Amino acid sequence: MKKIILLSSFVVLTSFGTITNTENTSIVKTETVVGESFSLINDSKDKISIHTGTGFVSLNKGSKTSIGCNVGKEVRWANEGKKGDVIFKITADMCGKTLKLSELTK
C-alpha cells in the first residue's frame, strides 16, 4: 500500500513541472487574401462565353458577371467548354470596379 501511495504522489508531483522546448522551431504562415472582385459587362451585340481564370461563364448581350480579383490570372474566350485566346490579364487596379468588355478587347 505504501508503494501505491508513493507512486501516485510521485506522479502527481511531477505533473506540475514544466517542460522547456530547447529546439529552435519557426512557424511559417501563409495568407491568401480573398475578397475583392470586379464586374465585367458584356457590352457587345452578341452572347459570349469566357473563362474567368477559375471557371466558364456565358454572358448575354448587356449582362454582367462578377470575377474574383486574382491578380495575374488570364480571362480568355471560351468555346464549348474549352479555353480560347487571352482577352486580358487581371491587374490590381481592376479590383472593385465595373469594366466593359469593349474597353478590355482593344
Side-chain angles (χ1 to χ4, degrees):
M1 185 71 173
K2 282 185 177 182
K3 288 183 182 180
I4 294 173
I5 293 174
L6 285 174
L7 181 59
S8 59
S9 297
F10 176 74
V11 170
V12 169
L13 290 175
T14 57
S15 66
F16 292 113
T18 59
I19 299 174
T20 57
N21 186 1
T22 57
E23 287 184 33
N24 184 9
T25 59
S26 59
I27 298 172
V28 177
K29 291 185 179 181
T30 58
E31 185 175 337
T32 304
V33 178
V34 177
E36 275 211 73
S37 61
F38 66 95
S39 294
L40 180 65
I41 297 175
N42 177 13
D43 61 338
S44 70
K45 296 178 183 178
D46 301 316
K47 179 179 178 178
I48 61 162
S49 294
I50 61 172
H51 185 270
T52 63
T54 57
F56 293 95
V57 176
S58 291
L59 292 172
N60 291 319
K61 173 184 166 186
S63 65
K64 172 169 76 168
T65 188
S66 180
I67 300 174
C69 206
N70 299 325
V71 176
K73 290 272 189 180
E74 296 175 334
V75 174
R76 297 173 169 264
W77 296 111
N79 186 16
E80 297 178 5
K82 295 183 181 179
K83 294 181 199 177
D85 294 335
V86 175
I87 304 170
F88 61 91
K89 282 190 178 185
I90 299 172
T91 59
D93 63 323
M94 294 176 173
C95 301
K97 296 183 180 175
T98 298
L99 306 170
K100 293 181 178 180
L101 183 64
S102 63
E103 295 172 349
L104 300 169
T105 57
K106 292 181 181 179

